[in-house]
Amino acid sequence: MEPGEPQEPREPRPGAENAAVPRWEEAKTFYDNLSPKKKPKSPKPQNAVTIAVSSRALFRMDEEQRIFTEQGVEEYVRYQLEHENEPFSPGPAFPFVKALEAVNKRLRELYPESEDIFDIVLMTNNHAQVGVRLINSINHYDLFIERFCMTGGNSPICYLKAYHTNLYLSADAEKVREAIDEGIAAATIFSPSRDVAVSQSQLRVAFDGDAVLFSDESERIVKAHGLDRFFEHEKAHENKPLAQGPLKGFLEALGRLQKKFYSKGLRLECPIRTYLVTARSAASSGARALKTLRSWGLETDEALFLAGAPKGPLLEKIRPHIFFDDQMFHVAGAQEMGTVAAHVPYGVAQTPRRTAPAKQAPAAQ
């Protein structure tokens, strides 16, 4: 065909009408479908129940910690960069975080515009260079964690209040002590000795009473004067509420979210369940514990008074995502039975603090 000669009309190719450049709205839908599934918007920290979790609580980083301890920070960072496309294995807080997200899903279905949900913050003193591997791991497991705080070797404790933290979980006992000293609910989390399946649809949280939900007033009396005086004291003060302990505020936040389900007629289907698991005996000292919760306008779904019996076997039946206690004896007993347990370093039962803390790794939270 010579230049300028009129062209003969051509038959359109099959499906050509679908290959045309879509209009703006169609193009947006097209590219949205190509991108990863959209995640919900993060709530404002002041409106949410903020759970700060350290990198070593969320993921297993034992090998990385060993490299830091034996070879130093430069080798540690180099190793992380070389392995940044390899996701970390889940750590002790992982099932707890997944359960929080399951509750959030239900809350968003019932209250699409509400920001009164769990907001998870990764709080770590890792260097920013390690952030890519953490992000890759979070995306690998499809976790909804949008807020990171990576402090490059400095303590992240000063940022907890800025994030309006309701609970801080870490593998670093010193950092947890610092948080408790700042009035922030915190606990050192430990991996169980064996894996036990936990609920995928209901968040289960178990609390000790004294020095966890309540103050250590009663434990001080036991330590100073023995059990007989303790029983007498509790009977005489049965109607006087105990002072609050470090995790009272977290139970309060859980109770607030529970009531959002209750108001929709879903008490029996509530995806949050709480437990009081205490060494107190019901007859001699249980009433004061329950009346204290009532005076605060709080409750637990179940209350187990063990009268000094081991807690591990009962926790094995409950299968909580996390159990909080102030005594390492009970934490160890829970671990042995497959429970993720967290130590709350508060009250008279604690050992004196070290004057010279051991060297900590950037991932050692």
Side-chain angles (χ1 to χ4, degrees):
M1 181 182 297
E2 294 295 325
E5 186 176 343
Q7 299 182 17
E8 295 181 2
R10 297 180 180 178
E11 291 293 326
R13 298 189 309 276
E17 64 277 6
N18 295 327
V21 177
R23 296 190 302 272
W24 183 85
E25 294 86 353
E26 294 171 339
K28 182 177 184 300
T29 302
F30 176 75
Y31 287 109
D32 281 350
N33 289 336
L34 289 179
S35 62
K37 184 173 65 175
K38 282 188 173 181
K39 294 185 177 181
K41 182 180 178 182
S42 296
K44 296 181 179 66
Q46 63 269 28
N47 297 335
V49 179
T50 300
I51 311 297
V53 184
S54 74
S55 55
R56 266 208 317 144
L58 185 59
F59 298 118
R60 288 189 178 276
M61 303 177 70
D62 299 336
E63 176 63 14
E64 290 76 9
Q65 179 71 6
R66 184 192 65 78
I67 290 171
F68 174 84
T69 303
E70 296 179 1
Q71 303 179 41
V73 64
E74 296 302 326
E75 185 63 22
Y76 166 83
V77 172
R78 187 191 67 79
Y79 179 89
Q80 294 281 33
L81 292 175
E82 288 180 352
H83 294 79
E84 67 180 18
N85 292 320
E86 300 173 13
F88 293 111
S89 298
F94 190 91
F96 176 66
V97 168
K98 293 292 286 186
L100 298 178
E101 294 191 343
V103 173
N104 278 354
K105 181 180 178 181
R106 293 282 303 279
L107 285 169
R108 289 190 176 102
E109 291 169 353
L110 296 172
Y111 303 92
E113 303 302 319
S114 176
E115 292 191 328
D116 193 9
I117 59 176
F118 293 111
D119 186 24
I120 303 158
V121 179
L122 187 69
M123 187 74 63
T124 173
N125 61 352
N126 256 304
H127 292 266
Q129 289 279 15
V130 183
V132 173
R133 190 178 184 192
L134 290 170
I135 292 170
N136 288 342
S137 298
I138 285 169
N139 290 334
H140 173 79
Y141 295 109
D142 196 28
L143 299 175
F144 183 56
I145 302 178
E146 296 292 326
R147 304 190 202 279
F148 276 41
C149 183
M150 293 175 282
T151 64
N154 293 328
S155 172
I157 299 302
C158 61
Y159 296 102
L160 292 174
K161 288 186 177 179
Y163 278 100
H164 300 268
T165 301
N166 296 89
L167 176 68
Y168 172 53
L169 296 176
S170 174
D172 186 332
E174 282 300 314
K175 297 293 188 299
V176 168
R177 283 180 181 269
E178 290 178 41
I180 289 285
D181 290 345
E182 292 294 321
I184 297 166
T188 309
I189 194 167
F190 294 90
S191 297
S193 299
R194 55 189 173 88
D195 292 332
V196 172
V198 292
S199 174
Q200 301 297 308
S201 58
Q202 184 180 63
L203 169 66
R204 299 177 185 175
V205 183
F207 300 90
D208 179 30
D210 296 296
V212 175
L213 293 179
F214 315 128
S215 73
D216 67 338
E217 169 193 326
S218 298
E219 289 189 347
R220 288 181 179 276
I221 292 173
V222 172
K223 189 175 182 67
H225 305 289
L227 275 175
D228 289 341
R229 179 69 66 83
F230 163 72
F231 293 141
E232 293 173 4
H233 178 271
E234 292 302 290
K235 190 66 176 177
H237 295 82
E238 180 178 311
N239 295 312
K240 180 182 178 182
L242 290 153
Q244 72 178 46
L247 265 66
K248 181 255 189 178
F250 180 52
L251 176 63
E252 189 172 34
L254 292 177
R256 187 178 74 245
L257 295 184
Q258 283 180 308
K259 289 175 181 176
K260 294 171 76 73
F261 293 98
Y262 300 168
S263 66
K264 297 288 188 179
L266 297 172
R267 177 180 282 268
L268 297 181
E269 294 81 30
C270 182
I272 303 173
R273 193 165 185 83
T274 56
Y275 304 79
L276 173 64
V277 183
T278 173
R280 285 174 175 251
S281 64
S284 59
S285 56
R288 191 181 186 196
L290 296 178
K291 288 183 177 181
T292 295
L293 291 175
R294 185 191 302 165
S295 73
W296 294 342
L298 300 179
E299 61 180 322
T300 57
D301 295 291
E302 299 186 28
L304 305 175
F305 295 93
L306 303 186
K311 298 181 180 181
L314 270 294
L315 291 167
E316 184 183 24
K317 301 301 181 184
I318 295 170
R319 298 195 175 190
H321 293 89
I322 193 166
F323 164 61
F324 296 98
D325 203 291
D326 68 303
Q327 298 191 45
M328 283 302 301
F329 171 79
H330 292 304
V331 169
Q335 285 181 273
E336 290 175 6
M337 304 304 290
T339 297
V340 174
H343 178 240
V344 181
Y346 176 83
V348 70
Q350 306 312 308
T351 56
R353 186 176 304 197
R354 298 191 305 268
T355 55
K359 181 181 181 183
Q360 298 295 328
Q365 290 187 66

